[in-house]
Amino acid sequence: MDLLALSDFNLVARHGGFGKAARASGRPKATLSRRVAELEASLDLRLFERGARSLKLTEEGRALFQRTGALLTELDEAAAAIAAGGSTPRGRLRISAPLLFSQMAMGKLAAEFALKHPQVQLDVTTEDRAVDMIEEGYDLVIRVNPNPDESLVGRAFLRDRLVIVASPRLPRPQEGEVVPAVVRGGRESSGIWRITTPGGTSQISMEPALRLSSLLMIRDAVRLGVGAARLPISLVSHDLIAGTLVCWGDVEGSDISLWALYPSRRLLNARVSAFLDHLKTAFPTGDPEELAAYVVC
């Protein structure tokens, strides 16, 4: 495949037309049109639907653009880095991160990274769904306990665990008693919390008294004594130290790992590598206490 023709195709696809691509690149419109036609002929595929006033990618053209755009960008970056005599991170870095981690730490992480690497344009999106990195154009995603995915590689950079916490004013239930609980959305109903303590394992019967959509909201409600809740230790660490909350025990089987993932079929570019190093600097051991300390520093 002719890389120059492929580069011209990506230029036209990115700008949405031959005229716009020509103006952006300073190259003749007729040259771009000819090179794209040559690429279509070599592939025996129509890559664009050409209308009187519009240009639209075909299904095959969209697939080719999605699969080759990032690779061509990396080739350009590699050439630029070699020409500059180094691998200084530069360009756009798109990251998807879960809501709670973003609320607790991503603002500070992003600001520190931007100050350290001013040539990188960092773009962070906050959402709890598992985004499709390739289809949606992300360079790095942060996920909680991700399922195995052969197309992604990465590293765990933080560990956490769930604990049962309550206000000191809420008496711990005796055996057979039911405790009011603050739960997240509609995910939990009446049931049993199994916990471990220094004295062994036990269970707590609970009945939802309040349903909220955010773990931060749940923590605030628990502080006021509405009920007990299951929350990450990193989120309530300072409350436990201050005595505004007390811990009734660790939730069994609730180990949490935060992973930074990127596509395995792509070269690890300088931007992603720099952000992974930034995470390692911020959380050198990955303990929950480091996240709690990072938020208030």
Side-chain angles (χ1 to χ4, degrees):
M1 187 181 296
D2 187 336
L3 284 179
L4 292 178
L6 187 62
S7 178
D8 287 342
F9 159 72
N10 273 269
L11 181 68
V12 175
R14 186 164 59 251
H15 290 282
F18 290 102
K20 292 180 180 178
R23 289 190 293 273
S25 64
R27 301 187 60 201
K29 178 179 177 181
T31 300
L32 294 176
S33 180
R34 175 174 56 82
R35 297 305 295 272
V36 170
E38 291 173 352
L39 180 63
E40 289 180 316
S42 69
L43 296 174
D44 195 23
L45 290 173
R46 182 177 293 277
L47 301 175
F48 289 105
E49 294 291 352
R50 297 163 173 82
R53 295 185 178 181
S54 64
L55 190 72
K56 183 180 178 182
L57 283 165
T58 63
E59 184 177 346
E60 293 80 7
R62 187 177 302 107
L64 184 64
F65 178 54
Q66 290 172 343
R67 295 190 179 191
T68 61
L71 293 174
L72 288 173
T73 298
E74 288 178 2
L75 286 174
D76 290 341
E77 290 172 352
I82 292 171
S87 56
T88 302
R90 56 170 57 86
R92 190 183 185 196
L93 176 61
R94 294 196 69 215
I95 297 176
S96 172
L99 178 61
L100 181 62
F101 178 74
S102 297
Q103 291 173 329
M104 293 180 68
M106 188 53 82
K108 182 179 177 182
L109 277 170
E112 290 175 342
F113 184 82
L115 291 172
K116 190 184 302 182
H117 301 286
Q119 295 185 58
V120 177
Q121 292 80 54
L122 186 57
D123 181 353
V124 179
T125 301
T126 296
E127 49 195 335
D128 286 331
R129 70 183 179 89
V131 300
D132 187 317
M133 292 190 65
I134 305 301
E135 293 291 331
E136 300 179 52
Y138 286 101
D139 302 289
L140 185 78
V141 296
I142 295 174
R143 290 183 180 170
V144 179
N145 292 346
N147 294 321
D149 189 332
E150 293 181 356
S151 68
L152 301 179
V153 296
R155 65 183 71 158
F157 66 93
L158 266 178
R159 298 182 303 278
D160 214 337
R161 67 184 190 278
L162 295 179
V163 292
I164 304 297
V165 294
S167 165
R169 300 187 301 275
L170 182 68
R172 182 165 181 156
Q174 301 298 315
E175 185 176 351
E177 293 182 341
V178 178
V179 67
V182 185
V183 299
R184 189 174 183 184
R187 299 182 181 182
E188 292 184 75
S189 58
S190 302
I192 301 295
W193 285 332
R194 291 178 173 81
I195 62 172
T196 60
T197 66
T201 61
S202 60
Q203 59 185 36
I204 297 173
S205 299
M206 68 85 173
E207 176 72 29
L210 184 61
R211 299 180 185 273
L212 299 170
S213 62
S214 160
L215 293 179
L216 288 173
M217 294 165 61
I218 292 174
R219 182 195 60 186
D220 293 344
V222 172
R223 285 172 175 170
L224 294 177
V226 176
R230 300 192 304 179
L231 288 170
I233 185 69
S234 62
L235 185 61
V236 296
S237 176
H238 298 294
D239 289 280
L240 297 176
I241 293 172
T244 51
L245 292 176
V246 294
C247 179
W248 289 353
D250 291 3
V251 177
E252 278 190 332
S254 66
D255 290 342
I256 299 168
S257 294
L258 270 74
W259 284 69
L261 302 171
Y262 52 91
S264 60
R265 286 175 291 183
R266 293 176 56 186
L267 296 174
L268 182 58
N269 64 48
R271 300 183 304 276
V272 173
S273 181
F275 196 83
L276 291 174
D277 290 342
H278 185 56
L279 289 175
K280 182 63 177 176
T281 300
F283 311 112
T285 67
D287 292 333
E289 292 74 19
E290 285 186 340
L291 177 55
Y294 185 82
V295 173
V296 297
C297 288

